[in-house]
Amino acid sequence: MVTPTGARPHEPAGPRPQPAPTAGTGPDPEWPVPLRAEVDLALGGRWTSLRGGGREWLWLGPELGREGVSPGAAFVDAGGLEECLPTVRGCPDHGDVWSRPWQETGPGAAAVDCPQFTLTRRLAERSGVIVVDYRLAADPGYRFLWAAHALLDLSPAARLEAPTGTSTRLHPEAAALLPPETWPAGRPWLPGDWPTPAGLALDAFGPDDGTAVGAVLVDCPRVRVVDAPDVLTFELACDGQPVGVGLWRNLRGWPEAAPYRSLGVEPMLGAAFDLADAGPEDAALVPPSGEVAWRLTVSAHRQRGPR
């Protein structure tokens, strides 16, 4: 098993902080809003705040008991942004790193050791943009999923912008929202095209209506969350690995006993929520070097309409 050196992860080719559109161009020019992030290393490395322009983007969950968890415990939804690895759904639920303490390794840097891998993360603010470099060290051939499982505090008018036609995989809870016999028997997902896979509109978050649906946008490195006048952009880069975005639109449809509203936008490595369902091309794979590096960039803007 490869162990971390504590060195700064190399910077994979990928997104750099980009300037906003020039002020005054187009009907809704966007102005950059500096972001700041806070994390809790003792409780799973969770992001507890993502704030800019007087707005807190992260939603905080209703469940108590996070302080008492240990590896293998049932997932406790505390909101914020969870690091999910090596799976999102399945076993262990939400992965193996959310329930472990992380160790600080330097300014903005931390690492967490799990039985089969070590994950390091370096989080920095660059000109108001949050840039996060990750590195996973494991035996060559190790397969995994990773998601930055961000639960966002959004209004019913918020929308998710992604390229039209992006391949999108609906997950089984969507079957209840589709015509009878639409769902293929025994299939872990139903493919379709964004923004209306199988005729189900997913781009609008909407008001609470008692539904819950999950989906994965495949081969989609960049999305924008628009909750006017604010815009939050996620961009992910990882050479040679599948990248996508998970969507969790829970409009008080889950859990059955005490449903609540939670809206997840989750940049991810892989194309499935459950590693057990992932085919050969649906999960990240550790190469002979024993390491995989990737970068997540998070930026915010504010729209200003014409005067």
Side-chain angles (χ1 to χ4, degrees), residues 28-47:
D28 293 302
E30 295 179 358
W31 304 80
V33 175
L35 287 173
R36 296 183 64 87
E38 297 178 6
V39 301
D40 187 343
L41 298 184
L43 297 176
R46 182 172 65 101
W47 301 30

PDB file of all heavy atoms in Angstrom, residues 28-47:
ATOM      1  N   ASP A  28     -27.386  39.859 -18.920  1.00  0.00           N
ATOM      2  CA  ASP A  28     -27.171  39.632 -17.501  1.00  0.00           C
ATOM      3  C   ASP A  28     -25.683  39.423 -17.229  1.00  0.00           C
ATOM      4  O   ASP A  28     -25.233  38.292 -16.996  1.00  0.00           O
ATOM      5  CB  ASP A  28     -27.961  38.405 -17.021  1.00  0.00           C
ATOM      6  CG  ASP A  28     -29.458  38.643 -17.072  1.00  0.00           C
ATOM      7  OD1 ASP A  28     -29.918  39.589 -16.426  1.00  0.00           O
ATOM      8  OD2 ASP A  28     -30.146  37.880 -17.762  1.00  0.00           O
ATOM      9  N   PRO A  29     -24.876  40.502 -17.275  1.00  0.00           N
ATOM     10  CA  PRO A  29     -23.454  40.336 -16.984  1.00  0.00           C
ATOM     11  C   PRO A  29     -23.261  39.822 -15.572  1.00  0.00           C
ATOM     12  O   PRO A  29     -24.069  40.096 -14.689  1.00  0.00           O
ATOM     13  CB  PRO A  29     -22.898  41.757 -17.161  1.00  0.00           C
ATOM     14  CG  PRO A  29     -24.076  42.666 -16.978  1.00  0.00           C
ATOM     15  CD  PRO A  29     -25.243  41.910 -17.527  1.00  0.00           C
ATOM     16  N   GLU A  30     -22.196  39.082 -15.381  1.00  0.00           N
ATOM     17  CA  GLU A  30     -21.926  38.473 -14.074  1.00  0.00           C
ATOM     18  C   GLU A  30     -20.664  39.070 -13.480  1.00  0.00           C
ATOM     19  O   GLU A  30     -19.657  39.264 -14.168  1.00  0.00           O
ATOM     20  CB  GLU A  30     -21.782  36.959 -14.229  1.00  0.00           C
ATOM     21  CG  GLU A  30     -23.067  36.295 -14.671  1.00  0.00           C
ATOM     22  CD  GLU A  30     -22.925  34.795 -14.859  1.00  0.00           C
ATOM     23  OE1 GLU A  30     -21.804  34.289 -14.683  1.00  0.00           O
ATOM     24  OE2 GLU A  30     -23.935  34.149 -15.175  1.00  0.00           O
ATOM     25  N   TRP A  31     -20.717  39.335 -12.198  1.00  0.00           N
ATOM     26  CA  TRP A  31     -19.621  39.944 -11.482  1.00  0.00           C
ATOM     27  C   TRP A  31     -19.068  38.937 -10.483  1.00  0.00           C
ATOM     28  O   TRP A  31     -19.837  38.260  -9.788  1.00  0.00           O
ATOM     29  CB  TRP A  31     -20.107  41.197 -10.759  1.00  0.00           C
ATOM     30  CG  TRP A  31     -20.748  42.171 -11.687  1.00  0.00           C
ATOM     31  CD1 TRP A  31     -22.025  42.124 -12.177  1.00  0.00           C
ATOM     32  CD2 TRP A  31     -20.144  43.315 -12.268  1.00  0.00           C
ATOM     33  NE1 TRP A  31     -22.262  43.173 -13.018  1.00  0.00           N
ATOM     34  CE2 TRP A  31     -21.123  43.929 -13.089  1.00  0.00           C
ATOM     35  CE3 TRP A  31     -18.882  43.902 -12.172  1.00  0.00           C
ATOM     36  CZ2 TRP A  31     -20.860  45.091 -13.817  1.00  0.00           C
ATOM     37  CZ3 TRP A  31     -18.635  45.064 -12.891  1.00  0.00           C
ATOM     38  CH2 TRP A  31     -19.599  45.644 -13.697  1.00  0.00           C
ATOM     39  N   PRO A  32     -17.748  38.780 -10.378  1.00  0.00           N
ATOM     40  CA  PRO A  32     -17.187  37.779  -9.468  1.00  0.00           C
ATOM     41  C   PRO A  32     -17.488  38.105  -8.015  1.00  0.00           C
ATOM     42  O   PRO A  32     -17.461  39.265  -7.598  1.00  0.00           O
ATOM     43  CB  PRO A  32     -15.689  37.839  -9.755  1.00  0.00           C
ATOM     44  CG  PRO A  32     -15.452  39.184 -10.363  1.00  0.00           C
ATOM     45  CD  PRO A  32     -16.704  39.532 -11.113  1.00  0.00           C
ATOM     46  N   VAL A  33     -17.772  37.063  -7.257  1.00  0.00           N
ATOM     47  CA  VAL A  33     -18.003  37.171  -5.817  1.00  0.00           C
ATOM     48  C   VAL A  33     -16.974  36.296  -5.115  1.00  0.00           C
ATOM     49  O   VAL A  33     -16.957  35.082  -5.320  1.00  0.00           O
ATOM     50  CB  VAL A  33     -19.431  36.713  -5.443  1.00  0.00           C
ATOM     51  CG1 VAL A  33     -19.615  36.716  -3.931  1.00  0.00           C
ATOM     52  CG2 VAL A  33     -20.467  37.602  -6.105  1.00  0.00           C
ATOM     53  N   PRO A  34     -16.099  36.860  -4.296  1.00  0.00           N
ATOM     54  CA  PRO A  34     -15.098  36.033  -3.608  1.00  0.00           C
ATOM     55  C   PRO A  34     -15.749  35.043  -2.645  1.00  0.00           C
ATOM     56  O   PRO A  34     -16.723  35.367  -1.956  1.00  0.00           O
ATOM     57  CB  PRO A  34     -14.248  37.067  -2.846  1.00  0.00           C
ATOM     58  CG  PRO A  34     -14.505  38.369  -3.539  1.00  0.00           C
ATOM     59  CD  PRO A  34     -15.914  38.292  -4.032  1.00  0.00           C
ATOM     60  N   LEU A  35     -15.221  33.827  -2.627  1.00  0.00           N
ATOM     61  CA  LEU A  35     -15.713  32.771  -1.751  1.00  0.00           C
ATOM     62  C   LEU A  35     -14.704  32.461  -0.649  1.00  0.00           C
ATOM     63  O   LEU A  35     -13.497  32.574  -0.854  1.00  0.00           O
ATOM     64  CB  LEU A  35     -15.971  31.487  -2.549  1.00  0.00           C
ATOM     65  CG  LEU A  35     -17.179  31.451  -3.473  1.00  0.00           C
ATOM     66  CD1 LEU A  35     -17.170  30.163  -4.290  1.00  0.00           C
ATOM     67  CD2 LEU A  35     -18.485  31.581  -2.692  1.00  0.00           C
ATOM     68  N   ARG A  36     -15.226  32.018   0.485  1.00  0.00           N
ATOM     69  CA  ARG A  36     -14.410  31.482   1.568  1.00  0.00           C
ATOM     70  C   ARG A  36     -15.016  30.162   2.011  1.00  0.00           C
ATOM     71  O   ARG A  36     -16.240  30.023   2.086  1.00  0.00           O
ATOM     72  CB  ARG A  36     -14.330  32.437   2.756  1.00  0.00           C
ATOM     73  CG  ARG A  36     -13.634  33.759   2.446  1.00  0.00           C
ATOM     74  CD  ARG A  36     -13.522  34.631   3.687  1.00  0.00           C
ATOM     75  NE  ARG A  36     -12.684  34.002   4.693  1.00  0.00           N
ATOM     76  CZ  ARG A  36     -11.356  34.134   4.745  1.00  0.00           C
ATOM     77  NH1 ARG A  36     -10.722  34.840   3.826  1.00  0.00           N
ATOM     78  NH2 ARG A  36     -10.660  33.550   5.695  1.00  0.00           N
ATOM     79  N   ALA A  37     -14.165  29.193   2.314  1.00  0.00           N
ATOM     80  CA  ALA A  37     -14.627  27.874   2.753  1.00  0.00           C
ATOM     81  C   ALA A  37     -14.066  27.555   4.132  1.00  0.00           C
ATOM     82  O   ALA A  37     -12.940  27.954   4.463  1.00  0.00           O
ATOM     83  CB  ALA A  37     -14.197  26.801   1.760  1.00  0.00           C
ATOM     84  N   GLU A  38     -14.846  26.821   4.921  1.00  0.00           N
ATOM     85  CA  GLU A  38     -14.407  26.324   6.217  1.00  0.00           C
ATOM     86  C   GLU A  38     -14.647  24.822   6.264  1.00  0.00           C
ATOM     87  O   GLU A  38     -15.632  24.320   5.701  1.00  0.00           O
ATOM     88  CB  GLU A  38     -15.166  27.007   7.355  1.00  0.00           C
ATOM     89  CG  GLU A  38     -14.939  28.509   7.433  1.00  0.00           C
ATOM     90  CD  GLU A  38     -15.753  29.163   8.536  1.00  0.00           C
ATOM     91  OE1 GLU A  38     -16.412  28.429   9.309  1.00  0.00           O
ATOM     92  OE2 GLU A  38     -15.734  30.406   8.623  1.00  0.00           O
ATOM     93  N   VAL A  39     -13.740  24.095   6.918  1.00  0.00           N
ATOM     94  CA  VAL A  39     -13.855  22.641   7.011  1.00  0.00           C
ATOM     95  C   VAL A  39     -13.685  22.201   8.455  1.00  0.00           C
ATOM     96  O   VAL A  39     -13.130  22.926   9.280  1.00  0.00           O
ATOM     97  CB  VAL A  39     -12.803  21.933   6.125  1.00  0.00           C
ATOM     98  CG1 VAL A  39     -12.978  22.339   4.667  1.00  0.00           C
ATOM     99  CG2 VAL A  39     -11.398  22.242   6.591  1.00  0.00           C
ATOM    100  N   ASP A  40     -14.177  21.008   8.746  1.00  0.00           N
ATOM    101  CA  ASP A  40     -14.069  20.409  10.080  1.00  0.00           C
ATOM    102  C   ASP A  40     -13.280  19.116   9.940  1.00  0.00           C
ATOM    103  O   ASP A  40     -13.825  18.068   9.578  1.00  0.00           O
ATOM    104  CB  ASP A  40     -15.463  20.140  10.641  1.00  0.00           C
ATOM    105  CG  ASP A  40     -15.436  19.673  12.092  1.00  0.00           C
ATOM    106  OD1 ASP A  40     -14.362  19.246  12.562  1.00  0.00           O
ATOM    107  OD2 ASP A  40     -16.490  19.728  12.751  1.00  0.00           O
ATOM    108  N   LEU A  41     -11.978  19.170  10.216  1.00  0.00           N
ATOM    109  CA  LEU A  41     -11.136  17.994  10.033  1.00  0.00           C
ATOM    110  C   LEU A  41     -11.466  16.901  11.035  1.00  0.00           C
ATOM    111  O   LEU A  41     -11.364  15.713  10.715  1.00  0.00           O
ATOM    112  CB  LEU A  41      -9.661  18.384  10.146  1.00  0.00           C
ATOM    113  CG  LEU A  41      -9.147  19.376   9.093  1.00  0.00           C
ATOM    114  CD1 LEU A  41      -7.654  19.593   9.286  1.00  0.00           C
ATOM    115  CD2 LEU A  41      -9.446  18.902   7.685  1.00  0.00           C
ATOM    116  N   ALA A  42     -11.862  17.268  12.232  1.00  0.00           N
ATOM    117  CA  ALA A  42     -12.120  16.264  13.266  1.00  0.00           C
ATOM    118  C   ALA A  42     -13.327  15.400  12.936  1.00  0.00           C
ATOM    119  O   ALA A  42     -13.398  14.238  13.345  1.00  0.00           O
ATOM    120  CB  ALA A  42     -12.315  16.943  14.621  1.00  0.00           C
ATOM    121  N   LEU A  43     -14.272  15.956  12.176  1.00  0.00           N
ATOM    122  CA  LEU A  43     -15.513  15.244  11.876  1.00  0.00           C
ATOM    123  C   LEU A  43     -15.623  14.991  10.382  1.00  0.00           C
ATOM    124  O   LEU A  43     -16.511  15.500   9.697  1.00  0.00           O
ATOM    125  CB  LEU A  43     -16.721  16.016  12.406  1.00  0.00           C
ATOM    126  CG  LEU A  43     -16.774  16.206  13.927  1.00  0.00           C
ATOM    127  CD1 LEU A  43     -17.959  17.053  14.337  1.00  0.00           C
ATOM    128  CD2 LEU A  43     -16.825  14.850  14.631  1.00  0.00           C
ATOM    129  N   GLY A  44     -14.688  14.219   9.851  1.00  0.00           N
ATOM    130  CA  GLY A  44     -14.794  13.724   8.494  1.00  0.00           C
ATOM    131  C   GLY A  44     -14.292  14.636   7.402  1.00  0.00           C
ATOM    132  O   GLY A  44     -14.519  14.352   6.225  1.00  0.00           O
ATOM    133  N   GLY A  45     -13.618  15.748   7.763  1.00  0.00           N
ATOM    134  CA  GLY A  45     -13.139  16.654   6.727  1.00  0.00           C
ATOM    135  C   GLY A  45     -14.247  17.418   6.031  1.00  0.00           C
ATOM    136  O   GLY A  45     -14.024  18.017   4.971  1.00  0.00           O
ATOM    137  N   ARG A  46     -15.432  17.432   6.620  1.00  0.00           N
ATOM    138  CA  ARG A  46     -16.615  18.038   5.986  1.00  0.00           C
ATOM    139  C   ARG A  46     -16.437  19.545   5.829  1.00  0.00           C
ATOM    140  O   ARG A  46     -15.927  20.224   6.717  1.00  0.00           O
ATOM    141  CB  ARG A  46     -17.852  17.743   6.838  1.00  0.00           C
ATOM    142  CG  ARG A  46     -19.166  18.273   6.290  1.00  0.00           C
ATOM    143  CD  ARG A  46     -20.329  17.742   7.125  1.00  0.00           C
ATOM    144  NE  ARG A  46     -20.279  18.247   8.476  1.00  0.00           N
ATOM    145  CZ  ARG A  46     -21.020  19.255   8.941  1.00  0.00           C
ATOM    146  NH1 ARG A  46     -21.877  19.856   8.134  1.00  0.00           N
ATOM    147  NH2 ARG A  46     -20.931  19.652  10.194  1.00  0.00           N
ATOM    148  N   TRP A  47     -16.877  20.062   4.661  1.00  0.00           N
ATOM    149  CA  TRP A  47     -16.955  21.504   4.477  1.00  0.00           C
ATOM    150  C   TRP A  47     -18.183  21.996   5.250  1.00  0.00           C
ATOM    151  O   TRP A  47     -19.307  21.545   5.008  1.00  0.00           O
ATOM    152  CB  TRP A  47     -17.134  21.874   3.019  1.00  0.00           C
ATOM    153  CG  TRP A  47     -16.077  21.425   2.068  1.00  0.00           C
ATOM    154  CD1 TRP A  47     -15.291  20.325   2.153  1.00  0.00           C
ATOM    155  CD2 TRP A  47     -15.720  22.074   0.845  1.00  0.00           C
ATOM    156  NE1 TRP A  47     -14.465  20.240   1.070  1.00  0.00           N
ATOM    157  CE2 TRP A  47     -14.701  21.299   0.253  1.00  0.00           C
ATOM    158  CE3 TRP A  47     -16.164  23.227   0.198  1.00  0.00           C
ATOM    159  CZ2 TRP A  47     -14.119  21.639  -0.971  1.00  0.00           C
ATOM    160  CZ3 TRP A  47     -15.594  23.576  -1.016  1.00  0.00           C
ATOM    161  CH2 TRP A  47     -14.581  22.798  -1.590  1.00  0.00           C
TER     162      TRP A  47
END
